[in-house]
Amino acid sequence: MLLAQRTVIRTLLSEHRWISPIVLFIVVATVAGFLQWSQTVPDPDAFYHARIATLMRDQALTFPTLPHASATILADQFTDQHFLYHLILIPFVTFFDPLVGIKVLAILGTALVFTFFLFTLRHLRIPRPWFFVLLALVTEPFVFRMNLGKASALVVFLLIMTIIALLERRQKLLFVTSAVWTWTHGSFLMAPLLALIIVGVDFLRRRTTNEPRVSWWMIMTPFFAALIGVILGTMLNPYFPRNIAFIVEQSLLIPLSSPALTNAGGEWFPSTVEGLLGGATLLFLAFIFALPLFFMNKNSRDHWFLFFMTLFLLALTIRTRRTVEYLVLPMLLFIGTTIGTGQDVLVRIGNRLRRWLEQEPRLNWGLLLIVGGLILAVTIRDGSTLVKEYRSGISGTTLKNAATWLRKNSAQDAIVYHTSWDEWPMLFYWNTWNRYLVGLDPRFMSRKNQNAFQMWKDANEGKTPDALAAVIRDQFKASYVLAAKKNEKFIEQIKRFPDVFKKQYEDGEVTIFSVN
């Protein structure tokens, strides 16, 4: 009976190829919806994205500056690197509560990425496409990043489109994708970088094989298509020419700087072995299995490109853990292509394994239990980790009461001193009446004025108690101080200056002092 049911399902999915993408979309949307079904937000940046989208809807599509981050380079010259994502987000923050709308878009975006990946696997004729889709679905850091309420899903879609364009030599598609990417995320330089990889592979293969020689212009065509797309997209961006300086800062200078020096977000730090291999155990087991098979195959230019691209993205992920979202699906494309071209080797290995198991029947169940148990244990572990991470996120009402009090009791544009850069998105979401110091990334502050950043950092850490009043009042021109309750040392130092700082508000999260 069970075998008959499996046959019916397999026949149905093969004869009606549109059914499996629909099923996949529903399954992934259900999983993503379950993760998002809470009163918490997994990442503080979601507050920023939700508020920017509402400001674009209510005020203007572009903003020359972001005065709400008064001590950063953004206060002087702002570029919305997620412009296209925020445009897409506007209907969702209009028809839903903004924080709910950003979750709804994250759910739909995640489901669409997985569905598009299934179509990509089929388009590239990779065997057993569902296996690789499920492998992506049980890769915890990838699923986590897709659901953060950021532009991740849109960027991964553009990344896969770029790979398809490079594999199929579709220069017009590569040009368009590269241009659109510049409106979506600061990672758009990855398009010409990936094009350089395939150009290098093509050049080396023609130098070391009997393939016909062609002009260097023909070999370089993918790179030129991507580069021209990036240039044109940058010039057509509504923030041009201000976006040029921002590109230099956000895409080059800030990523190359050390996150440890400024206490930047954890996603900017290098990956740990435990974090990378532990969260993607099954993915890396499959990658390790595919590597010897790859070197046993007679590989085409495209296959070598997928190999070097995977190594490049792996190196980026080791350097900065946030780029794991760019690694997973391309690595699966490499694994799938390797297995697809190595069918003869796999058949020989399978035949030997079958003969060996026939001699030892008891090992069949043992091997099945070991492999099945490993997959089940890893899936349960990573699934529970995902749920825990989302349930222990930031409350959707964080700093709401304090920000509301400030809006009602302070002058417009009054500067609020705060001790943590990751408090800024919530303050910005609940209250655009006031100005704050630093948000999104502390390196935006250090890039504007390293001395001021160091004074702020030292004051927050209690290293300059005697100069605290001068730093807050004279250096940053603050009218209020918002101090988190957990920062007890800072609050005690504030109380040493009763003539300067007067307590005006207090709740379970923060204490607010006025500055005289």
Side-chain angles (χ1 to χ4, degrees):
M1 181 66 179
L2 183 59
L3 182 60
Q5 291 176 344
R6 289 178 180 174
T7 302
V8 170
I9 294 174
R10 189 178 294 115
T11 302
L12 187 64
L13 293 178
S14 62
E15 292 182 355
H16 302 279
R17 293 173 63 83
W18 53 269
I19 292 181
S20 54
I22 294 175
V23 171
L24 176 63
F25 181 90
I26 294 173
V27 169
V28 175
T30 302
V31 172
F34 175 75
L35 292 174
Q36 298 282 6
W37 192 265
S38 69
Q39 300 299 316
T40 61
V41 178
D43 190 280
D45 285 355
F47 289 87
Y48 159 74
H49 292 301
R51 178 52 63 216
I52 283 290
T54 59
L55 291 176
M56 290 172 65
R57 177 197 65 194
D58 299 336
Q59 296 183 11
L61 289 179
T62 62
F63 308 95
T65 62
L66 191 66
H68 308 87
S70 62
T72 72
I73 59 175
L74 303 178
D76 303 320
Q77 191 164 273
F78 174 69
T79 293
D80 184 3
Q81 65 164 323
H82 308 97
F83 180 75
L84 183 58
Y85 169 67
H86 291 148
L87 279 180
I88 297 172
L89 185 57
I90 288 175
F92 293 88
V93 299
T94 300
F95 293 107
F96 302 95
D97 174 89
L99 292 180
V100 174
I102 204 168
K103 288 188 172 190
V104 172
L105 180 57
I107 293 168
L108 295 177
T110 302
L112 286 171
V113 162
F114 276 87
T115 306
F116 177 67
F117 184 55
L118 176 62
F119 280 115
T120 301
L121 293 167
R122 287 178 172 178
H123 179 71
L124 297 178
R125 301 182 185 278
I126 293 176
R128 310 291 183 186
W130 271 93
F131 170 78
F132 299 102
V133 170
L134 293 176
L135 199 52
L137 192 58
V138 297
T139 302
E140 181 267 330
F142 179 71
V143 178
F144 177 77
R145 295 285 307 175
M146 285 296 98
N147 283 277
L148 280 183
K150 297 185 176 185
S152 300
L154 185 55
V155 174
V156 170
F157 170 79
L158 292 172
L159 173 62
I160 298 302
M161 287 292 290
T162 299
I163 294 171
I164 293 173
L166 289 170
L167 291 174
E168 299 185 347
R169 299 170 174 81
R170 297 169 64 181
Q171 313 307 347
K172 292 181 181 179
L173 176 62
L174 180 59
F175 166 79
V176 172
T177 302
S178 302
V180 172
W181 202 334
T182 64
W183 286 42
T184 308
H185 195 266
S187 60
F188 61 83
L189 291 177
M190 196 175 296
L193 287 175
L194 293 182
L196 272 180
I197 293 176
I198 203 166
V199 164
V201 169
D202 199 8
F203 177 79
L204 290 175
R205 280 186 61 82
R206 292 182 186 278
R207 296 278 294 183
T208 56
T209 64
N210 294 325
E211 292 187 26
R213 300 291 180 90
V214 296
S215 67
W216 68 273
W217 171 261
M218 292 297 296
I219 295 177
M220 292 291 291
T221 300
F223 174 71
F224 290 136
L227 183 62
I228 294 172
V230 164
I231 292 173
L232 187 61
T234 301
M235 294 178 65
L236 293 177
N237 191 294
Y239 283 91
F240 182 80
R242 298 194 309 272
N243 56 341
I244 300 297
F246 184 83
I247 289 169
V248 174
E249 291 284 347
Q250 174 68 17
S251 300
L252 296 175
L253 298 180
I254 285 181
L256 292 175
S257 64
S258 172
L261 296 178
T262 56
N263 295 324
E267 64 179 18
W268 284 100
F269 282 78
S271 299
T272 63
V273 175
E274 179 183 0
L276 186 58
L277 299 183
T281 304
L282 298 178
L283 173 67
F284 278 97
L285 286 176
F287 180 63
I288 293 170
F289 172 80
L291 279 178
L293 192 61
F294 170 77
F295 289 107
M296 295 167 65
N297 292 338
K298 292 183 178 180
N299 300 304
S300 65
R301 180 206 72 153
D302 294 345
H303 203 178
W304 278 106
F305 162 67
L306 291 173
F307 171 70
F308 285 114
M309 176 192 64
T310 300
L311 293 185
F312 168 69
L313 295 175
L314 179 58
L316 283 183
T317 303
I318 293 172
R319 170 71 170 78
T320 307
R321 65 184 65 167
R322 64 179 292 179
T323 52
V324 68
E325 64 195 49
Y326 310 140
L327 169 67
V328 174
L329 298 190
M331 180 179 279
L332 286 170
L333 290 179
F334 165 73
I335 296 170
T337 305
T338 301
I339 292 175
T341 56
Q343 290 293 312
D344 294 340
V345 177
L346 288 176
V347 168
R348 291 198 299 270
I349 294 174
N351 290 335
R352 291 179 182 178
L353 181 61
R354 188 182 302 109
R355 287 194 297 268
W356 179 63
L357 291 175
E358 287 174 353
Q359 296 174 1
E360 298 288 343
R362 289 175 296 180
L363 292 178
N364 283 292
W365 286 105
L367 186 61
L368 180 63
L369 288 174
I370 292 173
V371 174
L374 174 64
I375 295 174
L376 182 62
V378 170
T379 303
I380 292 175
R381 181 201 64 186
D382 292 347
S384 62
T385 299
L386 266 176
V387 173
K388 183 179 178 180
E389 287 174 330
Y390 275 85
R391 295 296 184 269
S392 61
I394 304 164
S395 170
T397 58
T398 298
L399 297 180
K400 178 181 179 180
N401 294 334
T404 301
W405 184 89
L406 282 166
R407 188 175 68 246
K408 292 179 178 179
N409 295 278
S410 65
Q412 187 175 11
D413 296 330
I415 295 176
V416 179
Y417 182 100
H418 53 108
T419 60
S420 177
W421 64 270
D422 56 5
E423 293 168 340
W424 183 87
M426 287 77 77
L427 292 169
F428 177 62
Y429 178 79
W430 294 114
N431 175 9
T432 57
W433 177 261
N434 294 120
R435 299 186 181 189
Y436 312 101
L437 296 186
V438 54
L440 299 180
D441 192 306
R443 288 171 289 188
F444 287 130
M445 185 180 188
S446 66
R447 292 292 304 170
K448 180 176 183 178
N449 189 326
Q450 179 60 39
N451 291 332
F453 171 78
Q454 195 60 49
M455 282 190 283
W456 175 73
K457 187 171 179 286
D458 290 343
N460 299 338
E461 295 173 355
K463 294 180 179 180
T464 55
D466 296 335
L468 185 62
V471 169
I472 293 174
R473 182 180 56 192
D474 302 330
Q475 174 64 40
F476 292 105
K477 313 298 183 184
S479 300
Y480 293 89
V481 175
L482 183 143
K485 282 292 189 67
K486 62 183 179 182
N487 199 343
E488 297 177 358
K489 185 176 181 179
F490 178 79
I491 293 177
E492 289 301 317
Q493 292 186 354
I494 285 285
K495 291 179 179 179
R496 292 177 56 195
F497 301 88
D499 295 334
V500 179
F501 304 110
K502 304 288 187 182
K503 184 167 73 171
Q504 302 291 347
Y505 173 86
E506 186 175 18
D507 61 22
E509 294 178 313
V510 299
T511 302
I512 296 177
F513 300 87
S514 60
V515 182
N516 300 317

